[in-house]
Structures are given as C-alpha cells and as structure tokens.
C-alpha cells in the first residue's frame, strides 16, 4: 500500500499553494541571519539587536487578525499574492536602511506583509480541501515549509561568507518569484473558491464574531500551553544543551535535522492515517507526546536521550499542529472562516512570544529541571483541555 496515496485526491489549487510555499521557504534566509547582520555589519549591540527582532514579533501579532479580516472580504489568493510580492520588496530595501528607527520600521513592515500570508493560506486550504482531507492538506503545506526551510538557511549560511547583501537579494527575489508563480499559475484553481464567489464579493454578515464565540475561545485557551511548550525549541533548548549538558552547539543542529527528516518522511502518511479518527484524538495525543518529549529533557544526560526526546516531541508536533489548524477551521462559521483563522494565527504568534519569554525566565531563575517539569505539566494540562473541545454540528442550508 502506498502511504502517500492520500495526496492523490487533493485539488490542483492546493498543489499550486504547495509549490508557492516551497519556492518562498527555500529562499528564506534573512530571518535566521538577521541578528548576525545587525551586530556584525550595522554595529548594534546584542541587546539592541534583540529589540529590533522584537519588532518582527510585534508585526506578526498585528498581521494575523488583519489578514483574516481581509481574506473574508476579498479572495484570499489576492492577499497571498500581495503578501509575497510586497514582503519581497521590503526585504530588498532592508540592506539600505540605516539607524535604529529606520530598521525597526522596515522590520515591522516586512513582518506585517510577510505574515499576511499565513491566515489567507489556511483559509484557502479549508476552502479547497474535501472535509475528510483537510488534515492531509495541512500536512502537505507543512511538508513544503519543512522542505524549503531545510535548504534556505543552509544556502544562506554559504552566501553570508560571500556577502550579507546577497542573502537579502535571494530572499527578496524568491519571495517575489513565489508571488508571481501564484499570480500566473493559479487560474480558476484558486479563484473559484466557493464562498468568495458571492454575487458582488461581499461578506455574508451572519455567524458569530470570533471574540464572542466561547467555544472557539476555549479552543484557543486549550492550545496555548502546548504551543508555549513547542516554542522552547527556538529558545531554551539550545541553551540547555550547550550550557547545562555541555554538548556542542552542532548537536542542536543535529536535533533540527532529526526533526525535519521525520516530518518529511512520515507526517503526510501519519496524518492521513489518523484523519480517520476525530480531530481531538490528534490534538490530545499530540499534546501528550509533545509534553513527554520536552518534559523528558529533565531526565537526560547526553545525546542519546536528547535524540529520543526529539523523536517523541516531533511525533507530537506532527499529530498536533495539522489538527489544530483543522480544528480552527471546523469550529469557524464558513462565512467568517478568515476571521477565525486570523484569530488562530494571533494565538500562535502570541505563544511564539510568550513561550520563549516564560521558558527563559524559568531556566534562568529556577533551573532546567523546573523548566522541563513545567513543560510536562503544561503540555498534559493542554492535552486534557483539547480533548474536551467538540466539533460543532452545523445544519446545511
């Protein structure tokens, strides 16, 4: 049996989205090296560079609900095309910027433009994918992201040796190229989204506004602890491995490789298999595995234990993240799905800020064992709450 056969029934528009995302992510180079550029070529201290990086996080928080709101009012492919092309232009302008406030303004603008893509792309997945294949479609999109991110930063590392400016040029050009790919190739595949093709393109005003939907707010609250645990990957994990376990920095890169290889090889068939079960099976099981993977760091003493924990939380990631996107779309009224996906994106972006902040505080003031124990408890609590999230029963008109 072919484990990838679940991809066979996906519409052409989702493959265009896959190709666009792959091109864009394969050119993602500036963000991984932005702190280095700020300190080595612009003369900022590490503290000032961190403040500038915070403007990207602020922009992503602003962009998510705005993108969802806009995607409900115009075709989401237009939002994605504009995001890719305009964010590419913003990246091309960055090397010419001088001074703290000019760079901060451009980083914020770049973040807003780039992060407009995510809610619109998630809305497109929900509009195009058959209901029983939504989780598989999300896994396909994550495959594009991981394939691209496995090459872009690596190539960027070589380009930095030649010129920092070349990193900005390649990143900006590939983003614009991805936008042009979507603009030229989409045709009817993305333009014929059923909900968007209302007679005058106006938004249907029925349905519950997202901030008045208690069921959706409970879902957001339930997922926050697990997402905060997941974002230790980008913050405390590297410090723990090097400072507390005495491992080489390259070990952190090795764990990323293990994570990416597992996702590329397994996530699509794994998601197709578990899609036969209710969404809460994926969210709860994924939350437990994520909690055990990061919580297990409290017990390890070297590389073998770190690899075992990485495999555990990677399986948790593969089960949890596609299911969260799917559940956000299922809980949303169809006529307000963009607004709901924007709120979901806002929740993810907030945890990307909150998780590292809380994790770093725990690591610095209470030690690694307390941090990883907190991850275990928070992740298990989150899994229990996500098990209680029920899919709504909607009456078809």
């Amino acid at each position: 049996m072919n484990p990838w056969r679940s991809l066979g029934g996906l519409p052409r528009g989702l493959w265009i989205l896959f190709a666009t995302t792959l091109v864009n992510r394969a050119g993602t180079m500036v963000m991984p090296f932005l702190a280095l550029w700020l300190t080595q070529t612009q003369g900022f201290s590490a503290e000032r560079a961190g403040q500038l990086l915070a403007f990207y996080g602020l922009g992503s928080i602003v962009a998510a609900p705005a993108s969802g709101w806009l995607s409900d009012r115009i075709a989401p492919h237009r939002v994605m095309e504009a995001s890719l092309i305009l964010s590419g232009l913003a990246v091309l302008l960055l090397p010419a910027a001088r001074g703290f406030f000019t760079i901060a303004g451009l980083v914020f603008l770049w973040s807003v433009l780039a992060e407009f893509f995510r809610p619109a792309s998630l809305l497109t997945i929900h509009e195009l994918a058959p209901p029983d294949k939504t989780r598989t479609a999300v896994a396909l999109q994550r495959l594009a992201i991981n394939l691209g991110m496995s090459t872009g930063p690596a190539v960027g590392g070589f380009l930095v040796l030649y010129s920092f400016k070349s990193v900005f040029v390649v990143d900006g050009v590939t983003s614009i190229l991805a936008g042009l790919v979507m603009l030229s190739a989409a045709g009817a595949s993305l333009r014929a989204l059923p909900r968007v093709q209302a007679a005058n393109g106006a938004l249907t005003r029925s349905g519950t506004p997202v901030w008045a939907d208690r069921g959706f707010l409970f879902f957001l609250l339930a997922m926050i602890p697990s997402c905060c645990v997941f974002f230790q990957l980008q913050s405390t994990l590297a410090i723990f491995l090097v400072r507390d376990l005495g491992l080489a920095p390259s070990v952190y890169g090795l764990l990323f490789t293990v994570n990416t290889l597992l996702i590329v090889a397994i996530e699509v068939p794994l998601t197709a298999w578990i899609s036969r079960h209710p969404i809460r099976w994926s969210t709860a099981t994924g939350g437990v595995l994520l909690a055990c993977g990061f919580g297990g760091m409290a017990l390890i003493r070297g590389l073998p234990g770190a690899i075992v924990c990485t495999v555990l939380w990677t399986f948790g990631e593969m089960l949890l993240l596609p299911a969260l996107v799917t559940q956000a779309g299922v809980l949303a009224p169809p006529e307000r799905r963009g607004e709901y996906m924007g709120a979901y994106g806002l929740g993810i972006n907030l945890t990307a800020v909150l998780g590292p902040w809380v994790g770093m505080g725990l690591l610095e003031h209470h030690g690694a064992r307390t941090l990883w124990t907190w991850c275990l408890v928070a992740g298990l609590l989150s899994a229990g709450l996500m098990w209680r999230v029920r899919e709504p029963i909607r009456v078809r008109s």
Side-chain angles (χ1 to χ4, degrees), residues 30-393:
V30 171
M31 196 61 203
F33 297 99
L34 188 58
L36 204 58
W37 175 72
L38 290 169
T39 54
Q40 289 195 358
T41 71
Q42 301 302 302
F44 291 105
S45 66
E47 181 181 7
R48 292 291 269 177
Q51 292 169 359
L52 287 167
L53 291 175
F55 279 90
Y56 192 96
L58 179 61
S60 69
I61 290 171
V62 170
S67 173
W69 181 89
L70 190 60
S71 296
D72 270 332
R73 286 156 174 80
I74 65 174
H77 72 89
R78 295 295 188 200
V79 177
M80 290 188 287
E81 290 161 3
S83 169
L84 292 166
I85 294 171
L86 294 177
S87 65
L89 292 174
V91 167
L92 292 176
L93 290 174
L94 258 175
R98 295 293 181 270
F100 181 88
F101 292 105
T102 303
I103 294 175
L106 269 176
V107 168
F108 178 81
L109 176 64
W110 169 40
S111 172
V112 170
L113 293 172
E115 294 296 327
F116 255 67
F117 184 87
R118 190 200 307 266
S121 68
L122 297 180
L123 174 58
T124 299
I125 290 171
H126 278 282
E127 291 291 342
L128 290 180
D132 62 334
K133 286 183 175 286
T134 303
R135 275 181 272 181
T136 301
V138 175
L140 177 65
Q141 180 74 348
R142 279 175 42 82
L143 176 63
I145 292 170
N146 281 281
L147 283 174
M149 291 300 291
S150 67
T151 59
V155 174
F158 288 103
L159 289 177
V160 163
L161 300 176
Y162 167 71
S163 161
F164 265 108
K165 186 176 181 180
S166 64
V167 173
F168 289 89
V169 170
V170 173
D171 196 325
V173 168
T174 51
S175 181
I176 294 170
L177 179 61
L180 295 176
V181 167
M182 179 170 285
L183 188 65
S184 61
S189 300
L190 288 175
R191 288 165 176 73
L193 295 179
R195 183 184 53 78
V196 185
Q197 298 299 310
N200 59 357
L203 172 66
T204 303
R205 294 292 175 178
S206 61
T208 306
V210 63
W211 303 118
D213 188 333
R214 292 184 179 180
F216 192 80
L217 294 180
F218 179 81
F219 161 68
L220 291 180
L221 178 66
M223 78 175 195
I224 281 175
S226 277
C227 293
C228 286
V229 170
F230 175 72
F231 282 112
Q232 301 313 305
L233 170 65
Q234 300 176 9
S235 53
T236 56
L237 182 57
I239 296 174
F240 166 71
L241 292 172
V242 175
R243 188 187 71 183
D244 293 55
L245 295 189
L247 299 174
S250 58
V251 171
Y252 182 57
L254 173 64
L255 298 184
F256 259 105
T257 301
V258 171
N259 169 254
T260 302
L261 289 176
L262 283 172
I263 289 172
V264 170
I266 297 175
E267 181 167 337
V268 169
L270 176 65
T271 302
W273 173 75
I274 205 167
S275 292
R276 306 174 213 165
H277 302 289
I279 299 172
R280 63 191 186 129
W281 285 39
S282 295
T283 55
T285 305
V288 168
L289 290 174
L290 197 73
C292 292
F294 281 99
M297 295 284 181
L299 304 176
I300 69 172
R301 294 294 179 266
L303 178 58
I307 292 176
V308 170
C309 286
T310 298
V311 171
L312 269 178
W313 64 253
T314 297
F315 271 89
E317 175 191 357
M318 291 189 289
L319 290 174
L320 177 63
L321 297 189
L324 286 179
V325 175
T326 305
Q327 192 148 51
V330 167
L331 292 171
E335 65 275 6
R336 290 185 177 271
R337 189 166 280 146
E339 180 184 349
Y340 275 64
M341 298 315 295
Y344 167 77
L346 174 61
I348 291 292
N349 291 336
L350 283 173
T351 59
V353 175
L354 180 64
W357 177 61
V358 172
M360 293 293 277
L362 287 171
L363 181 63
E364 197 64 31
H365 299 292
H366 301 284
R369 189 176 293 273
T370 299
L371 166 65
W372 303 127
T373 302
W374 171 84
C375 285
L376 177 65
V377 173
L380 293 177
L381 172 65
S382 187
L385 292 173
M386 288 187 289
W387 178 256
R388 296 179 61 84
V389 177
R390 302 290 180 138
E391 299 174 29
I393 300 174

Side-chain angles (χ1 to χ4, degrees), residues 1-6:
M1 182 184 296
N2 181 2
W4 296 83
R5 67 176 183 172
S6 59

